[in-house]
Amino acid sequence: MGFVGYTDVIAEGDTAIVYLGYNAMMHLKLCHGALTQTKRGGLRHSDIIGKKYGCRISTLSDKGYVYLLQPTPELWTLNLRHRTQILYFADISFITLQLELKPGSVVVESGTGSGSVSHAFARTIAPDGHLHTFEFHEQRAEKAREDFKDHGISHLVTVTHRDVLENGFGIDLSVDAVFLDLPCPWRALPHARKILKTSGGKICSFSPCIEQVQRTSEDLRSLGFTDVSTFECLQRNYENRTVVLPYPTLGKKPGAESTSQLAQDAVAKDAGSLNDTKSGDRQGASTDCGETQEKSETDPDGADVSFEASEAKKPRLCESEKKENKLHYPIKCAVPWKEMPGHTGYLTFGTLYLLPNESGV
Ligand SMILES: C[S@@+](CC[C@H](N)C(=O)[O-])C[C@H]1O[C@@H](n2cnc3c(N)ncnc32)[C@H](O)[C@@H]1O
């Protein structure tokens, strides 16, 4: 199964990700004889076991089908049952990079929460690293343990039910990195310092509020950590659009010879052959300012399928542009979403370098 490596064939006991359509997924633990209802129709697990990951499979409804995806930490983050607030991969990937995690790393995490970060860490440190994760909510710790066992990563993760703010980590280890996602992270810093290696041990604390960041940064410095810095990861999504633009005349009047004539000829030729191509009803609707929007279609099952119109698009001009007789052509461009996913939290990092016999405080 795919949490730490890829396998081809879906086996009994695997957790597969069922892709139902754009933004619609669920996870399924496969068990011979079981039947799961989805909004695309029922799925018999016996029909799935033995098939290849990535395949499309029909449901028990007339025209329904779904895709079966290999589970990965990224897909798990999108599909897990939230027992707490969780971190998503924009933050997780940055944390992994900054903590310099790699195969063989030994990492400490608290709290475990829903295990979103833990799954990603486990994959990064496999096959011979180890994650020690601490959670003071007993049921959450137990559920995380079950998940790690189900997902074939329990040999990489030890879950401990413990209040790390009150009692510290209680392990006699020198670890490569510590990750904290706790309400008062500064209270865990002295405990973290005791278990971090002194030759460049890394720490990261995730906090939603800037006051938590201030307190954490001050305490990191007074405990002898260096390179203390804070980041915020904001995800910026882009959409593919076709936009019709006037060709630049570079200061010359349209029609006059210019250094760009060759390029203009090429575009004109291109436009000619594009216009000869059947553009049909997939052609995007042009706005007056020349923007051509990609259409999105709905498949017979209702799944959203957006596609890049493969047929050529005729440039459509607004009236003022037609009068000026400007040359236009369609270009593909990436347009950022007008609204971005907002603030999740701040990531504060520090590094512990101490010389032998140096206390750092
Ligand atoms: C926001 S959640 C962590 C989510 C996790 N990073 C994820 O992405 O799934 C914070 C967790 O810390 C746990 N926690 C809070 N105080 C703690 C403490 N003193 N010791 C151990 N765990 C604690 C909470 O029970 C909660 O499950």
Side-chain angles (χ1 to χ4, degrees):
M1 157 157 48
F3 281 97
V4 285
Y6 288 95
T7 47
D8 245 11
V9 177
I10 306 172
E12 173 156 38
D14 276 9
T15 299
I17 304 294
V18 181
Y19 180 88
L20 301 156
Y22 180 69
N23 255 347
M25 285 185 275
M26 61 189 281
H27 62 90
L28 207 60
K29 186 161 190 259
L30 292 157
C31 172
H32 270 298
L35 174 80
T36 300
Q37 287 302 335
T38 77
K39 63 177 184 180
R40 300 254 178 269
L43 279 173
R44 259 197 221 111
H45 292 210
S46 310
D47 295 342
I48 296 174
I49 295 166
K51 295 274 181 333
K52 285 197 164 188
Y53 278 112
C55 75
R56 176 173 137 165
I57 189 162
S58 298
T59 65
L60 298 176
S61 99
D62 267 358
K63 285 192 246 160
Y65 60 84
V66 298
Y67 291 90
L68 296 161
L69 306 182
Q70 182 106 209
T72 62
E74 288 77 10
L75 288 176
W76 183 247
T77 287
L78 296 177
N79 285 286
L80 54 77
R81 187 178 290 276
H82 285 217
R83 299 184 283 270
T84 59
Q85 293 228 335
I86 65 162
L87 292 195
Y88 291 87
F89 29 80
D91 285 311
I92 296 174
S93 53
F94 192 67
I95 296 165
T96 305
L97 177 80
Q98 292 289 104
L99 291 183
E100 297 180 359
L101 300 187
K102 54 188 177 296
S105 297
V106 179
V107 200
V108 162
E109 175 199 31
S110 185
T112 315
S114 308
S116 171
V117 174
S118 322
H119 277 79
F121 280 2
R123 178 186 54 188
T124 305
I125 62 169
D128 50 358
H130 205 83
L131 169 65
H132 299 268
T133 184
F134 294 83
E135 170 60 56
F136 82 164
H137 188 288
E138 194 166 4
Q139 286 80 28
R140 270 179 219 154
E142 189 45 45
K143 191 70 193 76
R145 230 177 258 124
E146 278 169 27
D147 283 350
F148 301 144
K149 188 159 178 265
D150 272 357
H151 299 163
I153 56 173
S154 55
H155 60 296
L156 296 164
V157 188
T158 303
V159 185
T160 306
H161 167 229
R162 187 178 177 93
D163 181 339
V164 301
L165 298 181
E166 283 299 319
N167 306 316
F169 296 98
I171 46 173
D172 187 17
L173 287 173
S174 171
V175 306
D176 298 302
V178 172
F179 173 64
L180 304 173
D181 184 357
L182 293 169
C184 306
W186 55 89
R187 288 183 53 209
L189 297 181
H191 304 303
R193 191 179 178 283
K194 280 191 202 145
I195 55 165
L196 263 176
K197 66 180 183 189
T198 51
S199 54
K202 301 271 178 185
I203 190 162
C204 172
S205 171
F206 173 91
S207 297
C209 304
I210 200 69
E211 292 78 7
Q212 293 168 302
V213 172
Q214 284 168 326
R215 180 84 189 261
T216 305
S217 304
E218 280 164 13
D219 285 15
L220 278 172
R221 284 202 190 88
S222 62
L223 284 166
F225 283 86
T226 53
D227 305 335
V228 176
S229 44
T230 298
F231 298 84
E232 184 185 17
C233 289
L234 293 174
Q235 189 173 321
R236 194 166 191 210
N237 293 352
Y238 282 75
E239 223 171 86
N240 250 349
R241 293 256 187 93
T242 303
V243 175
V244 180
L245 286 180
Y247 195 82
T249 57
L250 305 178
K252 308 259 169 140
K253 290 211 167 102
E257 279 296 312
S258 78
T259 48
S260 65
Q261 191 61 51
L262 265 180
Q264 290 199 26
D265 289 348
V267 171
K269 191 171 161 217
D270 208 22
S273 62
L274 292 182
N275 291 344
D276 291 342
T277 321
K278 180 174 166 277
S279 53
D281 55 344
R282 280 193 175 187
Q283 168 125 9
S286 175
T287 61
D288 215 27
C289 57
E291 194 174 282
T292 312
Q293 294 219 270
E294 298 293 339
K295 267 192 181 178
S296 112
E297 270 192 350
T298 302
D299 76 0
D301 271 345
D304 292 330
V305 181
S306 33
F307 60 88
E308 295 278 316
S310 53
E311 294 90 346
K313 291 181 175 60
K314 285 181 192 167
R316 292 188 186 175
L317 312 183
C318 60
E319 285 312 310
S320 62
E321 287 170 339
K322 273 184 196 155
K323 269 187 216 138
E324 284 179 43
N325 192 27
K326 275 189 185 164
L327 195 54
H328 288 71
Y329 67 107
I331 59 160
K332 283 275 178 213
C333 63
V335 184
W337 285 3
K338 289 203 179 90
E339 280 169 25
M340 292 201 314
H343 169 78
T344 54
Y346 301 103
L347 295 169
T348 302
F349 295 91
T351 309
L352 192 62
Y353 295 110
L354 296 178
L355 296 172
N357 302 325
E358 191 187 14
S359 78
V361 278

